[in-house]
């Protein structure tokens, strides 16, 4: 009987991460993006952000999982410049189907808490064939939420999107027009 071994991935140690950040900053990189998994799950995230000095701006890419207003304020105090919260649709059911159950409320709360903390806040949307026709309404909805911008991403065949095809040429033209 063959037993499948699951690889357990560990986070990079804080000291290693600080060393990497220092090396990256020595290359005069103007922006450093922190992404996951889910970066907000790191208890030392504020310390990581604080290790990035004024030579670079810091961006946090997140689903928003666990971003309270208090944590958002601590992240800003640590030096976070802006946050990008993933939310793909203005309709809760559609968004949760595209992301994960509860992702809509998670993202909405994160956006509100981020804005309240005074962080530059953007939404991040992965454009697929199933939502391209809703994109203009999504943009208006994001404006009503008060986000400062929208990050539009194409489907990358990885993770949950491994089986999703890229958008068609016609949809790309529509996206450019929008």
């Amino acid at each position: 009987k063959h037993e499948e071994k699951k690889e357990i991935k560990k986070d990079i140690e804080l000291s290693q991460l600080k060393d990497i950040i220092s090396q990256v900053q020595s290359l005069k990189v103007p922006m450093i993006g922190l992404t996951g998994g889910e970066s907000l799950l790191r208890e030392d995230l504020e310390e990581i952000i604080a290790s990035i000095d004024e030579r670079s701006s810091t961006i946090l890419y997140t689903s928003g999982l666990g971003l309270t207003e208090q944590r958002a304020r601590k992240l800003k105090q640590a030096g976070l410049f802006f946050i990008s919260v993933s939310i793909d649709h203005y309709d809760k059911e559609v968004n949760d189907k595209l992301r994960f159950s509860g992702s809509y409320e998670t993202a909405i709360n994160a956006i509100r808490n981020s804005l309240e903390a005074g962080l530059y806040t953007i939404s991040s949307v992965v454009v697929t064939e199933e939502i391209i026709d809703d994109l203009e309404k999504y943009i208006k909805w994001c404006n009503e939420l008060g986000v400062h911008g929208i990050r539009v991403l194409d489907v990358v065949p990885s993770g949950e999107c491994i089986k999703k095809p890229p958008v068609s040429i016609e949809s790309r033209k529509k996206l450019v027009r929008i």
Side-chain angles (χ1 to χ4, degrees), residues 58-121:
T58 309
I59 308 163
L60 178 65
Y61 300 100
T62 181
S63 67
L65 195 61
L67 186 66
T68 63
E69 186 180 335
Q70 181 182 13
R71 182 104 194 256
R73 288 187 191 285
K74 285 180 181 178
L75 292 168
K76 183 175 181 178
Q77 288 170 351
L80 183 63
F81 174 63
F82 86 75
I83 188 166
S84 174
V85 180
S86 299
I87 187 161
D88 290 333
H89 207 275
Y90 53 83
D91 181 275
K92 179 182 177 179
E93 289 180 26
V94 174
N95 186 81
D96 283 5
K97 181 179 158 239
L98 294 169
R99 291 250 165 211
F100 60 87
S101 181
S103 63
Y104 179 89
E105 289 299 327
T106 296
I108 294 295
N109 288 332
I111 287 168
R112 288 184 179 139
N113 291 333
S114 177
L115 289 168
E116 192 61 36
L119 285 165
Y120 186 82
T121 306

Side-chain angles (χ1 to χ4, degrees), residues 16 18-29:
Q16 288 178 292
K18 284 181 173 182
D19 185 51
I20 292 167
I21 288 168
S22 176
Q23 290 176 47
V24 166
Q25 285 202 284
S26 72
L27 298 172
K28 299 183 178 162
V29 173

Side-chain angles (χ1 to χ4, degrees), residues 158-172:
S158 65
E160 293 297 317
C161 292
I162 196 81
K163 296 175 187 167
K164 291 188 182 201
V167 292
S168 67
I169 299 295
E170 191 57 42
S171 291
R172 284 186 188 281

